[in-house]
Amino acid sequence: MSILNRIKRKLPVVGGSAPPPSSTPGVASARPQPAAPTWSPPEEEQESNVRAGRPVPEFLAEFVKSSPVVLFMKGSPNNPMCGFSANAAGILRNYDVAVASFDVLSDAAVRDGIKQFSQWPTIPQVYVGGEFIGGSDILMQMHQSGELREMIDQARSAQGA
Amino acid sequence: MTERSTRIRSRLGEALAPIHLELVDESHMHSGPNQETHFNLVVVSEAFAGLPLVRRQRRVYDALAAELNSGLHALTMRTLTPAEWQAASGSVANVSPPCMGGSKAG
């Protein structure tokens, strides 16, 4: 099945070694996200190789500016491994913008390093236009207020994307 | 009331003098032998006035640094000024996402 079809059908996990979902009774599955016909999924990269052995702070300083929107998350946008990360990726699907995502579960040094780098203790973390904006709660509130649209538009024109 | 939630209330009380604080332990929503790891928090404090959301949440995280270093894993957070709280009629939606089992190690 193609990536696009997986997104359309919202299949969270296809094969692999993902742990089973929570078995807590009465807990609903991920909240449905609005359809996003214009969103194009980022390439599924071998993210653990993205850093290529470079020192973490140096890599992070560069990576947060590598795309108008940068998302540090658990798992990938198509296969999120945490509800907060899934929410952040889902919100960003509403915007027609390039999102560079990094799976912190693939690189323990980045998982720790990004918390230092951003001075922020939790994952996910979102950068827009190279600027740290926060985690999933803040992203949702900025999405609802329209502020996120403004920031993304600015970041996109700044990068000529 | 459980131990960590008592400490969270007291630390936030000292740091932010909130006029309103809601704290719900949502650790049961997450897999594993979790105890007091996931909380849903609404804080209303004058200390947030004039601060962007990222700096408001940082104030909360700073106040809870010791908890975050000792097993507190996730906070769903709303940070409001008294004026915003009043405008919201004393109620804000603050829905935590379900666990997806991706992490057990902070």
Side-chain angles (χ1 to χ4, degrees):
Chain A
M1 190 183 296
S2 75
I3 287 173
L4 200 59
N5 279 334
R6 277 194 293 162
I7 292 164
K8 280 179 187 158
R9 296 180 50 175
K10 297 190 190 307
L11 298 182
V13 178
V14 180
S17 58
S22 166
S23 59
T24 311
V27 174
S29 59
R31 284 183 287 165
Q33 299 297 337
T38 54
W39 184 77
S40 47
E43 294 284 308
E44 291 280 359
E45 299 173 289
Q46 290 301 309
E47 279 145 329
S48 53
N49 295 334
V50 170
R51 184 159 65 90
R54 279 186 292 162
V56 170
E58 176 194 310
F59 164 72
L60 289 175
E62 207 173 284
F63 190 75
V64 298
K65 295 177 183 153
S66 65
S67 183
V69 179
V70 174
L71 169 64
F72 294 88
M73 66 181 291
K74 292 177 180 172
S76 67
N78 298 327
N79 188 12
M81 301 296 285
C82 153
F84 297 97
S85 287
N87 275 1
I91 291 164
L92 293 172
R93 281 180 192 188
N94 292 288
Y95 299 85
D96 181 21
V97 65
V99 178
S101 72
F102 191 99
D103 178 4
V104 300
L105 299 178
S106 73
D107 190 332
V110 168
R111 181 177 179 171
D112 289 337
I114 191 61
K115 295 178 182 178
Q116 300 280 328
F117 185 84
S118 307
Q119 289 294 297
W120 195 258
T122 51
I123 305 291
Q125 298 187 10
V126 182
Y127 283 77
V128 177
E131 187 187 335
F132 178 64
I133 70 159
S136 67
D137 294 332
I138 292 179
L139 193 68
M140 177 55 86
Q141 287 171 68
M142 291 178 65
H143 171 57
Q144 288 168 342
S145 73
E147 212 179 329
L148 184 59
R149 167 74 63 196
E150 231 169 84
M151 279 192 80
I152 286 178
D153 285 349
Q154 274 177 21
R156 202 168 23 195
S157 52
Q159 292 214 356
Chain B
M1 191 173 296
T2 47
E3 270 180 46
R4 193 193 305 278
S5 63
T6 305
R7 289 199 302 273
I8 290 175
R9 284 178 181 276
S10 118
R11 290 181 199 281
L12 292 177
E14 283 168 28
L16 299 166
I19 63 157
H20 180 81
L21 195 157
E22 292 171 32
L23 182 68
V24 179
D25 185 352
E26 296 185 328
S27 307
H28 63 279
M29 289 166 62
H30 301 271
S31 58
N34 289 332
Q35 279 240 289
E36 300 200 273
T37 52
H38 294 66
F39 286 87
N40 192 320
L41 177 67
V42 177
V43 196
V44 182
S45 167
E46 194 59 45
F48 296 141
L51 296 184
L53 292 174
V54 63
R55 287 183 58 196
R56 295 180 186 191
Q57 291 206 3
R58 228 174 227 141
R59 291 285 304 268
V60 173
Y61 281 140
D62 286 349
L64 301 181
E67 304 301 330
L68 286 156
N69 286 328
S70 63
L72 174 58
H73 180 73
L75 287 169
T76 298
M77 226 192 286
R78 290 297 301 266
T79 49
L80 297 95
T81 63
E84 290 164 351
W85 180 241
Q86 205 167 11
S89 308
S91 168
V92 288
N94 197 27
V95 182
S96 299
C99 184
M100 301 176 93
S103 168
K104 302 287 177 282

